[in-house]
Amino acid sequence: MLFVSGCSSSATDSVKKYLDNYKNLSPNVLADMKEVIAKENLNEENEKKYEEILKKQYTDLTYEIENEEYNGDEATINVKITVYNLYKSQKDSLTYLAENENEFKDFDGKYDASKFITYKLDKMKETNERVSYTIDFYVVNTSDGWTLSSLSNSDLEKIHGIYDYDLN
């Protein structure tokens, strides 16, 4: 996970810098992205496809600071982000799999997970549908400047566009 600290004159500047690191595909973001992809156990072609999907997600991310609340050396910065709705693409792919199982079987009639993963990644890559989320960034003023606290898994899923909003 990427942390931003130092030399930010305000908590809001720290949040902007953090999100701009995604938009600008900073070296830290790219390294984290490669780690995430490596854990997926994909073939080489699908790794490249997933990397393209995430790079598009990050560079096309938009955000708007909606509220800043300072309490001494602590701040909460409320941000509305807009990303591609990869969650819906994944969910729709699972529905398609359930309704069309035969398309994802090998020559022996057994389920071939790699066929489904390729299908799902293609659908994720094709999507232009976007979704907006709100994230509260918690920032603390330290001797090094305003520093972001760790984001929750659900907030990271929002940035990646895979947050399961059906749970709410």
Side-chain angles (χ1 to χ4, degrees), residues 23-52:
K23 291 181 65 57
N24 298 321
L25 301 175
S26 78
N28 288 343
V29 166
L30 291 175
D32 288 349
M33 178 189 68
K34 289 191 183 297
E35 282 182 34
V36 167
I37 292 170
K39 291 177 185 174
E40 294 296 320
N41 197 24
L42 303 171
N43 64 34
E44 188 175 334
E45 179 184 333
N46 283 337
E47 279 185 3
K48 288 178 183 174
K49 197 176 294 184
Y50 195 28
E51 184 174 328
E52 289 174 27

Side-chain angles (χ1 to χ4, degrees), residues 92-103:
D92 290 349
S93 295
L94 287 170
T95 300
Y96 186 83
L97 169 64
E99 295 170 355
N100 301 278
E101 289 179 33
N102 288 335
E103 288 185 33

Side-chain angles (χ1 to χ4, degrees), residues 12-13 16-17 29 38 47 49 53 58 66 78 84 98 112 124 130-131 155-156 158 161:
T12 300
D13 288 343
K16 287 178 179 178
K17 186 174 180 181
V29 166
E47 279 185 3
K49 197 176 294 184
I53 291 164
Y58 298 159
E66 296 206 317
N78 180 269
Y84 293 109
D112 184 346
M124 290 168 68
R130 299 183 47 95
V131 62
D155 287 340
L156 289 170
K158 290 175 181 178

Side-chain angles (χ1 to χ4, degrees), residues 152-166:
S152 68
N153 282 341
S154 60
D155 287 340
L156 289 170
E157 288 173 353
K158 290 175 181 178
I159 291 171
H160 292 108
I162 59 170
Y163 178 70
D164 185 352
Y165 47 78
D166 288 334

